[in-house]
C-alpha cells in the first residue's frame, strides 16, 4: 500500500509512475477521501477541545452559584455530535483503506517504461542453448515414455492441470527441492516450514487480496486460503510487529506447494507441467533496511540464478517493464530458463523489491538507532519454481535413446545419474 502522505505531497510523480502500468487507478478518489478525513478530524478535535475546556469550567461556575443547565445540555449535544463525527471518520477511513488497497505500487525510476512483456529488457545470459543431433522431445512426451507423470489420473482425481508424479518423476521433484533448500541455506537463508493455509489478513498483507481473490483457492468455512506462494506466510511472519534495526537484514527460504486457479494462456501452456493449479516452489524472502534494498534485490536475484548455474541450464535475466510489473512490486527481475519444447526462454523465477508497499499493508516495522519507527522493505523471489526446473532438466538433459541424464549437482540428491532405460526400437 502506498503512503497517502506521499500521494498528497507528490501527486504528480505518483501519477506519472502509475501511468506506466496498465489500467486506471483511483488516486483522485483517495485524495478526496483523505481531505474529507482530515477535515473531519480537525472538526472533531476542535469539538473535543471545546468540551474539555467547558467541562473544566462547569464545576467552577457551579461553585460560584451560576446556572449551568443550558451549558450541560449543550455539552450533551456536543458529545452526540462528536460520537457522530467519530462514526463518520471510521467510515471514511475504511473507504480510504479500500481505495488505497486497490492502487498498485509505483515503479522504481530504473524500471523501463513499457506496455507489456514485449518491452522487458534483457540484462544478461548464462550458457548456450543445446543444439540436438536428434529430434528433441517435450518433457510431457519423455515423462509419458517413462511413466513418471500421470496426467489423466491427476485430472481424474482433481481436474485439469493437476498431475500425479510417480517413481523417478516424484524422486526428481523431491531431489530438486532438497537441493534448492541446501543451496539457499549455504547462502545464509533461514529455512522455514510455514502453514500451507493462511488467513485473509495474510493474503491482504502481501497484496493478493482484494485484487486477486478469484484466482485463489478459498476454504470458505474457515475463511482461509491455500497459499499461492510461500511469500505469503513467510512475509507475514512479522505482521503487526516492530523489529530492532539490529535484526535487519533477515533472509528466509521455504518450500511449499502452491495453489492458483489462474487460467493461463492457450497453446503449449496447457501441455505438461509448466502451468498447473498445484505446483511446488522454493521461495526466498528478505526483510531489509530501506537504504540497502536495491543492493539486496541484486543479491537475491544472484542467489536464485545460482541454482541454474549449478545445474548448468541456460537462462537469461530480464527486468520487467512498467506494464508487465506485478501489482505489489516496485522492480522485478525475471529469470527465464531455456526450454527446447518452446524454443525460447520461459519464466522460472520473479525476484522483486516491494519497498515498503507490503510492509505498510502488513504493518511490519523496525525501530532505528534514533528510536524512530519505520517500515521495513520486503523482497522475495522464487529460488526456483520446482516444476519448471523439473521440466527444464528433463528437456535439456534428454538423450537420443529417451533417457535423461541427471545434472552432476543433483546426483547426490537423486541417487543415480540417469532416468529411464533406453527406448526400444
Amino acid at each position: 500500500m502506498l503512503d497517502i502522505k506521499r500521494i498528497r505531497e507528490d501527486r504528480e510523480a505518483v501519477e506519472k509512475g502509475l501511468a506506466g502500468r496498465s489500467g486506471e487507478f483511483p488516486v483522485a478518489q483517495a485524495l478526496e477521501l483523505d481531505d474529507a478525513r482530515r477535515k473531519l478530524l480537525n472538526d472533531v478535535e476542535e469539538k473535543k477541545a471545546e468540551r474539555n475546556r467547558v467541562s473544566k469550567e462547569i464545576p467552577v461556575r457551579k461553585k460560584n452559584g451560576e446556572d449551568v443547565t443550558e451549558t450541560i445540555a449543550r455539552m450533551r449535544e456536543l458529545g452526540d455530535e462528536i460520537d457522530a463525527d467519530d462514526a463518520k471518520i471510521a467510515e471514511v477511513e475504511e473507504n480510504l483503506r479500500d481505495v488505497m488497497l486497490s492502487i498498485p505500487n509505483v515503479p522504481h525510476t530504473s524500471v523501463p517504461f513499457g506496455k507489456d512483456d514485449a518491452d522487458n529488457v534483457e540484462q544478461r545470459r548464462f550458457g548456450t542453448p543445446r543444439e540436438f543431433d536428434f529430434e528433441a522431445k517435450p518433457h510431457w512426451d519423455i515423462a509419458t515414455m517413462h511413466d513418471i507423470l500421470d496426467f489423466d489420473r491427476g485430472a481424474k482425481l482433481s481436474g485439469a492441470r493437476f498431475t500425479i508424479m510417480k517413481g523417478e518423476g516424484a524422486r526428481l521433484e523431491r531431489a530438486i527441492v532438497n537441493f534448492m533448500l541446501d543451496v539457499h541455506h549455504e547462502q545464509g537463508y533461514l529455512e522455514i516450514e510455514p502453514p500451507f493455509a493462511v488467513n485473509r489478513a495474510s493474503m491482504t498483507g502481501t497484496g493478493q487480496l482484494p485484487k486477486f481473490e478469484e484466482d485463489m483457492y478459498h476454504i470458505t468455512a474457515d475463511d482461509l486460503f491455500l497459499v499461492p506462494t510461500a511469500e505469503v506466510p513467510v512475509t507475514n511472519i512479522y505482521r503487526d510487529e516492530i523489529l530492532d534495526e539490529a535484526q535487519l537484514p533477515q533472509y528466509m527460504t521455504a518450500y511449499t506447494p502452491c495453489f492458483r486457479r489462474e487460467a493461463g494462456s492457450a497453446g503449449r501452456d496447457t501441455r505438461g507441467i509448466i502451468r498447473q493449479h498445484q505446483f511446488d516452489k522454493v521461495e526466498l524472502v528478505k526483510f531489509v533496511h530501506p537504504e540497502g534494498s536495491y543492493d539486496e534485490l541484486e543479491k537475491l536475484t544472484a542467489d536464485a540464478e545460482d541454482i541454474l548455474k549449478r545445474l548448468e541450464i541456460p537462462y537469461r535475466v530480464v527486468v520487467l517493464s512498467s506494464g508487465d510489473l506485478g501489482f505489489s512490486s516496485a522492480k522485478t527481475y525475471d529469470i527465464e530458463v531455456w526450454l527446447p519444447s518452446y524454443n525460447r526462454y520461459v519464466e522460472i523465477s520473479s525476484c522483486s523489491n516491494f519497498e515498503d508497499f507490503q510492509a505498510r499493508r502488513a504493518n511490519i516495522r523496525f525501530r532505528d538507532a534514533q528510536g524512530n519507527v519505520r517500515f521495513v522493505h520486503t523482497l522475495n523471489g522464487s529460488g526456483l519454481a520446482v516444476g519448471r526446473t523439473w521440466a527444464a532438466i528433463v528437456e535439456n538433459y534428454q538423450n537420443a535413446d529417451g533417457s535423461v541424464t541427471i545434472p552432476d549437482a543433483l546426483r547426490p540428491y537423486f541417487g543415480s545419474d540417469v532416468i529411464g532405460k533406453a527406448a526400444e526400437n
Side-chain angles (χ1 to χ4, degrees):
M1 184 162 59
L2 296 177
D3 183 358
I4 188 63
K5 182 179 178 182
R6 176 184 180 186
I7 298 177
R8 187 168 61 242
E9 296 180 352
D10 202 5
R11 176 177 180 174
E12 183 178 350
V14 170
E15 290 186 325
K16 182 179 178 181
L18 292 177
R21 289 183 172 273
S22 57
E24 297 182 359
F25 310 105
V27 172
Q29 185 182 0
L31 289 172
E32 288 173 5
L33 288 167
D34 180 53
D35 287 342
R37 179 183 66 90
R38 295 169 71 200
K39 184 179 184 304
L40 281 168
L41 284 170
N42 184 65
D43 290 346
V44 80
E45 288 304 315
E46 288 181 356
K47 290 175 181 178
K48 287 178 180 179
E50 180 185 355
R51 183 176 61 179
N52 291 338
R53 177 180 58 78
V54 174
S55 296
K56 292 178 181 178
E57 292 176 355
I58 287 174
V60 176
R61 292 173 61 190
K62 278 185 176 181
K63 187 175 181 181
N64 293 336
E66 294 183 38
D67 183 1
V68 295
T69 304
E70 290 186 8
T71 303
I72 292 173
R74 168 58 189 148
M75 289 302 100
R76 287 175 180 161
E77 291 177 0
L78 191 62
D80 292 339
E81 291 177 17
I82 289 170
D83 290 342
D85 286 346
D86 283 341
K88 289 179 184 177
I89 290 169
E91 181 181 358
V92 170
E93 287 181 339
E94 183 178 356
N95 290 338
L96 176 59
R97 178 172 172 79
D98 288 343
V99 169
M100 292 296 291
L101 288 174
S102 71
I103 300 174
N105 206 349
V106 175
H108 188 261
T109 54
S110 64
V111 170
F113 185 90
K115 182 178 179 182
D116 51 32
D117 60 358
D119 298 310
N120 295 345
V121 178
E122 183 174 311
Q123 303 294 292
R124 55 187 173 273
R125 293 191 180 198
F126 171 84
T128 303
R130 178 182 173 188
E131 294 186 7
F132 294 92
D133 56 5
F134 58 91
E135 185 177 352
K137 297 180 176 64
H139 67 274
W140 53 87
D141 285 347
I142 298 170
T144 300
M145 175 190 303
H146 299 303
D147 194 26
I148 57 177
L149 293 181
D150 194 327
F151 299 104
D152 293 337
R153 290 188 176 92
K156 179 176 72 174
L157 293 178
S158 305
R161 302 202 185 190
F162 288 92
T163 304
I164 295 172
M165 288 189 168
K166 57 194 218 182
E168 291 176 314
R171 188 150 54 96
L172 178 59
E173 183 89 350
R174 176 163 50 89
I176 293 169
V177 170
N178 289 336
F179 166 67
M180 288 181 179
L181 289 173
D182 281 354
V183 170
H184 296 318
H185 173 74
E186 292 174 13
Q187 294 168 339
Y189 292 82
L190 174 68
E191 184 175 346
I192 301 291
E193 184 176 339
F196 296 166
V198 293
N199 56 30
R200 188 171 291 272
S202 296
M203 293 286 280
T204 303
T206 43
Q208 280 74 20
L209 296 185
K211 183 175 175 61
F212 303 107
E213 183 161 356
E214 290 186 358
D215 292 337
M216 303 299 125
Y217 282 96
H218 185 209
I219 306 169
T220 307
D222 303 303
D223 197 22
L224 294 176
F225 296 83
L226 298 181
V227 296
T229 163
E231 168 199 350
V232 179
V234 177
T235 303
N236 279 276
I237 285 175
Y238 291 124
R239 190 176 74 243
D240 294 324
E241 294 187 29
I242 301 176
L243 303 173
D244 289 329
E245 189 173 43
Q247 293 178 269
L248 301 177
Q250 289 199 33
Y251 304 164
M252 297 182 183
T253 184
Y255 154 76
T256 65
C258 305
F259 303 88
R260 300 181 190 176
R261 298 178 61 232
E262 58 186 1
S265 57
R268 290 198 172 208
D269 270 1
T270 63
R271 302 292 303 275
I273 59 172
I274 296 303
R275 192 174 295 276
Q276 298 275 282
H277 291 313
Q278 176 184 325
F279 57 96
D280 289 339
K281 196 145 66 84
V282 172
E283 198 77 3
L284 307 174
V285 173
K286 289 186 174 185
F287 304 88
V288 306
H289 197 286
E291 274 69 26
S293 66
Y294 278 93
D295 288 338
E296 293 286 1
L297 176 60
E298 300 298 327
K299 294 175 185 175
L300 176 75
T301 307
D303 288 340
E305 289 181 66
D306 191 30
I307 298 295
L308 290 174
K309 285 181 177 178
R310 296 189 190 209
L311 294 175
E312 299 181 87
I313 301 176
Y315 70 87
R316 70 172 189 164
V317 177
V318 300
V319 60
L320 299 193
S321 72
S322 58
D324 196 32
L325 204 59
F327 180 83
S328 299
S329 177
K331 183 174 184 177
T332 295
Y333 291 113
D334 268 7
I335 302 173
E336 300 179 344
V337 70
W338 179 259
L339 278 184
S341 62
Y342 283 63
N343 195 35
R344 63 177 172 84
Y345 293 96
V346 175
E347 184 237 318
I348 198 169
S349 172
S350 288
C351 299
S352 302
N353 185 356
F354 304 105
E355 298 182 352
D356 63 4
F357 189 84
Q358 291 181 328
R360 287 183 180 277
R361 296 169 74 103
N363 199 28
I364 307 169
R365 297 155 294 165
F366 74 100
R367 183 173 284 103
D368 66 20
Q370 290 72 43
N372 301 312
V373 176
R374 303 166 60 188
F375 288 101
V376 304
H377 279 195
T378 61
L379 301 89
N380 90 275
S382 306
L384 308 161
V386 178
R388 294 189 179 195
T389 306
W390 190 103
I393 291 170
V394 169
E395 291 194 9
N396 284 283
Y397 279 91
Q398 64 180 290
N399 301 308
D401 64 4
S403 62
V404 177
T405 301
I406 299 299
D408 290 343
L410 207 57
R411 291 179 184 181
Y413 296 87
F414 186 71
S416 62
D417 60 2
V418 68
I419 288 176
K421 298 178 182 178
E424 295 182 3
N425 295 323

